[in-house]
Amino acid sequence: MYNKILVAVDNSAIAEQVIEVALTLAKAVDGKLMLLHALSQNAEDSPLSFAPYASSYSIDLIEKFKEDWKQYQQESLQKLEAWKQKAKDMNIQVELRQENGNPAPIICRIAKEWQAELIVIGRRGHSMASEILLGSVSSYVIHRSHCSVHIVQS
């Protein structure tokens, strides 16, 4: 069955649902989990997603962006740690990973490296137009992953 389950989460509202589905699946098959969060500057909650674009930046502004990004990384890691503890409390083997960059290729790469047999990921249900213009992480993963993908619909 699915012994190695990669769980791709972000900081959106659906992440909790994704975790619950993954915990249920892992418990049912006595599987291992890897919790993965790819930190993207384009994420809705990223401190850099609405950063002003200018021809030049002051040192103070750059330092502020660095501080905001560091805090974002730490807060995201704390969420992963809390979910990791929840899995451990259920006697599920779990590890976590957090990386910076474009989530879709990171998810596929880590799943392959870790030899995941299933990826659990959420889908927010953006309109067809926004998916065409912006792309969709879940769509990318479905079409490019080496293993099965379970989509949790918001």
Side-chain angles (χ1 to χ4, degrees), residues 10 12 14 17 44 121-132 134-139 151-154:
D10 57 14
S12 68
I14 194 173
Q17 289 176 267
E44 292 174 8
I121 189 169
R123 181 179 181 279
R124 294 188 203 151
H126 292 300
S127 71
M128 183 66 80
S130 72
E131 283 195 13
I132 289 170
L134 303 174
S136 162
V137 173
S138 57
S139 178
I151 302 292
V152 178
Q153 181 68 39
S154 67

Side-chain angles (χ1 to χ4, degrees), residues 1 4 19 22 37 39 52 54 56 95 132 134:
M1 199 61 182
K4 295 180 84 173
I19 292 293
H37 183 207
L39 295 167
S56 66
E95 54 189 279
I132 289 170
L134 303 174

Side-chain angles (χ1 to χ4, degrees), residues 112-129:
K112 190 168 187 169
E113 287 174 7
W114 190 61
Q115 298 176 335
E117 297 162 337
L118 178 69
I119 298 171
V120 178
I121 189 169
R123 181 179 181 279
R124 294 188 203 151
H126 292 300
S127 71
M128 183 66 80

Side-chain angles (χ1 to χ4, degrees), residues 34-152:
M34 176 182 284
L35 307 179
L36 172 65
H37 183 207
L39 295 167
S40 169
Q41 73 178 42
N42 298 322
E44 292 174 8
D45 64 327
S46 166
L48 304 182
S49 66
F50 294 105
Y53 294 98
S55 59
S56 66
Y57 293 98
S58 71
I59 297 298
D60 292 337
L61 184 58
I62 292 170
E63 288 303 316
K64 172 80 169 106
F65 286 155
K66 282 181 175 179
E67 287 174 29
D68 290 350
W69 186 259
K70 198 175 244 182
Q71 181 177 348
Y72 176 62
Q73 286 178 309
Q74 189 58 37
E75 289 172 359
S76 297
L77 189 57
Q78 287 172 349
K79 285 183 184 179
L80 283 176
E81 291 287 355
W83 289 326
K84 179 180 179 180
Q85 188 57 52
K86 188 172 186 175
K88 283 184 170 185
D89 292 345
M90 296 174 67
N91 295 316
I92 297 170
Q93 290 183 41
V94 61
E95 54 189 279
L96 60 87
R97 206 149 160 194
Q98 181 166 273
E99 294 205 7
N100 294 325
N102 187 344
I106 288 174
I107 293 165
C108 291
R109 178 178 54 82
I110 299 300
K112 190 168 187 169
E113 287 174 7
W114 190 61
Q115 298 176 335
E117 297 162 337
L118 178 69
I119 298 171
V120 178
I121 189 169
R123 181 179 181 279
R124 294 188 203 151
H126 292 300
S127 71
M128 183 66 80
S130 72
E131 283 195 13
I132 289 170
L133 292 173
L134 303 174
S136 162
V137 173
S138 57
S139 178
Y140 181 102
V141 171
I142 288 168
H143 291 97
R144 291 176 179 84
S145 71
H146 76 286
C147 63
S148 297
V149 179
H150 182 97
I151 302 292
V152 178

